[in-house]
Amino acid sequence: MSSQQPPEEPAYEDRVYRSPMAVVTGVLLLALIAWLCGDAIVRGSGNAPWFAAAIALLAVPLIVAFTIRPAVFANDDRLRVRNPFRLIELPWGAVDAVRAGYSAEVLAGGSKYQLWSVPVSLRERKKASRQQTKQELSRRGGATGKGVQGSSGPAASAEPQRAQADQVVNELRELAERGASRAGAQGGVRVRWSYEVLAPAALGAVFLVVLLVIG
């Protein structure tokens, strides 16, 4: 009688990590481009409408690429990193490390891939470190000066403060550790260039150069 292994738990829905501030900035910049270039296209004279169209064609994809597009998708099997010009798919079995120094990055197959949507703020990290130090001092003071009653206050029970990027990296490390041995988490790293961003930006650049030459 052959023994059957229990079925593997299914991978859950992706966790999505992106920078809200970058998205807001991108939306505002797109609104500004639409206002300035739209006005030049509608009311401009001579070559102004053509220049405005070329600038919009060049600027819009780049703004989207560096602000709205970046995101990190993670589930039990793999990590997908959507950077400005590339889409990187990394099964957890191929990931060597996830770390946050001056930037958040993942190491796999001898290469390093930056997580654009998880910006590292040294200021936020220092602030979190100061708050954690204050909490630790408060716990020690409560335990030594006020006994059990003082050590059960909100400061003593609060979780250690961490910067947002460090929290995200810690969650990704946990997912990597849990998923590395899953059957669905095996395979190599796949990288795809984002031609849907590069093509219109290149077309806008060529259009603008042509206008400058003939203008």
Side-chain angles (χ1 to χ4, degrees):
M1 186 175 182
S2 60
S3 59
Q4 296 182 351
Q5 295 182 350
E8 196 173 64
E9 293 182 2
Y12 292 100
E13 190 173 331
D14 286 355
R15 302 184 188 185
V16 183
Y17 303 93
R18 61 172 72 242
S19 171
M21 184 60 66
V23 173
V24 171
T25 301
V27 171
L28 292 177
L29 288 175
L30 289 175
L32 181 63
I33 290 291
W35 175 45
L36 295 177
C37 294
D39 183 71
I41 291 172
V42 173
R43 300 183 182 182
S45 58
N47 287 336
W50 295 107
F51 273 102
I55 291 172
L57 188 59
L58 172 62
V60 169
L62 294 180
I63 291 173
V64 171
F66 284 98
T67 59
I68 299 174
R69 175 181 168 80
V72 170
F73 306 88
N75 60 26
D76 292 343
D77 285 336
R78 63 194 65 248
L79 178 71
R80 286 191 301 122
V81 181
R82 195 170 68 191
N83 282 343
F85 303 124
R86 294 192 301 176
L87 179 64
I88 305 110
E89 186 171 324
L90 306 106
W92 289 125
V95 172
D96 299 320
V98 184
R99 65 188 186 187
Y102 292 106
S103 64
E105 53 197 25
V106 56
L107 306 180
S111 299
K112 178 173 65 176
Y113 305 98
Q114 187 174 350
L115 308 181
W116 277 76
S117 67
V118 187
V120 173
S121 171
L122 298 181
R123 182 179 180 182
E124 183 183 359
R125 184 177 285 170
K126 290 179 181 178
K127 181 180 178 181
S129 179
R130 287 196 300 268
Q131 291 177 346
Q132 187 173 354
T133 301
K134 289 180 180 178
Q135 289 181 359
E136 182 64 26
L137 292 174
S138 178
R139 282 196 292 268
R140 291 179 181 179
T144 57
K146 297 183 180 180
V148 177
Q149 182 177 359
S151 64
S152 60
S157 59
E159 295 182 358
Q161 296 291 323
R162 285 186 178 180
Q164 181 63 30
D166 294 330
Q167 293 180 14
V168 171
V169 167
N170 187 60
E171 290 180 14
L172 294 179
R173 282 175 182 162
E174 292 177 354
L175 284 172
E177 291 173 0
R178 292 202 306 262
S181 59
R182 289 175 59 90
Q186 308 308 310
V189 178
R190 291 191 294 177
V191 180
R192 181 180 70 84
W193 288 98
S194 303
Y195 295 106
E196 64 274 15
V197 174
L198 295 170
L203 182 61
V206 172
F207 190 13
L208 186 58
V209 170
V210 171
L211 289 174
L212 291 172
V213 170
I214 66 177

